Amino acid sequence: MPQPAALHIRPAIREDCALILRFIQGLADYEKLAHRVVATEAQLAATLFAKRPGAEVLIAEWSGEAAGFALHFPNYSTFLARPGIYLEDLFVHPEFRGHGIGKALLQRLAQIAVERDCGRLDWSVLDWNEPAIEFYRSIGARALDDWTTFRVEGTALSKLTGQP
């Protein structure tokens, strides 16, 4: 499906770090997690545009204005013996919703996955975010209800190393 003339999706560049941080903050506000954001522009520049980037970012522009983003990174399926893509964040500013921007970002990610011979595209969604869940289902995504996500961070991560 061709993108509307007003929509342009492009890879982020180093000069987009302030914009990426604003998207992250907008997403965190929406998810009621703004207090958890400690990222800085300098950290984003160092991790997204390093020799070995930790992730990639797509920027969606609507009529020349930054409207949304998708931050993703590679993963791997041992069962498929193929790489995949994990979508960490997808966010469209509220004033730009309803134009198909979120779907276009996911379509572009699907194209990247196919181009890179990936076996799948994965992401997580907060269980209370019914609008997103319904949107994801409408594009053919299915919830993996038999999986539970675990995380180790902060002090627990340091402790897990076994180092004092």
Side-chain angles (χ1 to χ4, degrees):
M1 170 160 78
Q3 296 176 4
L7 179 60
H8 175 67
I9 296 176
R10 63 173 177 82
I13 57 173
R14 181 180 291 273
E15 290 75 21
D16 289 321
C17 286
L19 173 62
I20 294 167
L21 184 57
R22 285 195 303 272
F23 280 129
I24 292 168
Q25 290 166 333
L27 174 63
D29 287 341
Y30 175 77
E31 293 180 340
K32 300 168 184 60
L33 296 170
H35 61 283
R36 304 271 318 260
V37 176
V38 297
T40 66
E41 288 179 43
Q43 289 170 320
L44 291 170
T47 57
L48 296 177
F49 301 99
K51 186 175 182 179
R52 285 190 59 183
E56 298 174 61
V57 178
L58 295 173
I59 303 288
E61 296 171 337
W62 184 263
S63 296
E65 289 187 65
F69 88 128
L71 186 144
H72 62 96
F73 52 86
N75 62 13
Y76 190 83
S77 168
T78 55
F79 288 10
L80 298 176
R82 291 174 66 191
I85 291 179
Y86 187 83
L87 172 61
E88 178 69 20
D89 290 330
L90 174 71
F91 180 72
V92 176
H93 282 300
E95 63 268 26
F96 294 102
R97 293 181 187 157
H99 296 292
I101 296 169
K103 184 175 183 178
L105 282 164
L106 283 169
Q107 287 174 323
R108 181 63 191 121
L109 275 174
Q111 291 168 349
I112 291 169
V114 169
E115 290 165 5
R116 296 178 184 178
D117 194 32
C118 294
R120 62 189 189 199
L121 172 59
D122 295 306
W123 64 91
S124 298
V125 61
L126 291 167
D127 59 5
W128 59 259
N129 194 346
E130 284 299 324
I133 291 168
E134 289 306 312
F135 166 63
Y136 296 144
R137 286 188 174 132
S138 78
I139 62 164
R142 64 180 176 85
L144 301 178
D145 295 328
D146 51 343
W147 290 87
T148 300
T149 302
F150 282 86
R151 176 176 295 155
V152 180
E153 62 185 351
T155 305
L157 180 62
S158 296
K159 188 175 179 181
L160 183 59
T161 69
Q163 304 298 312

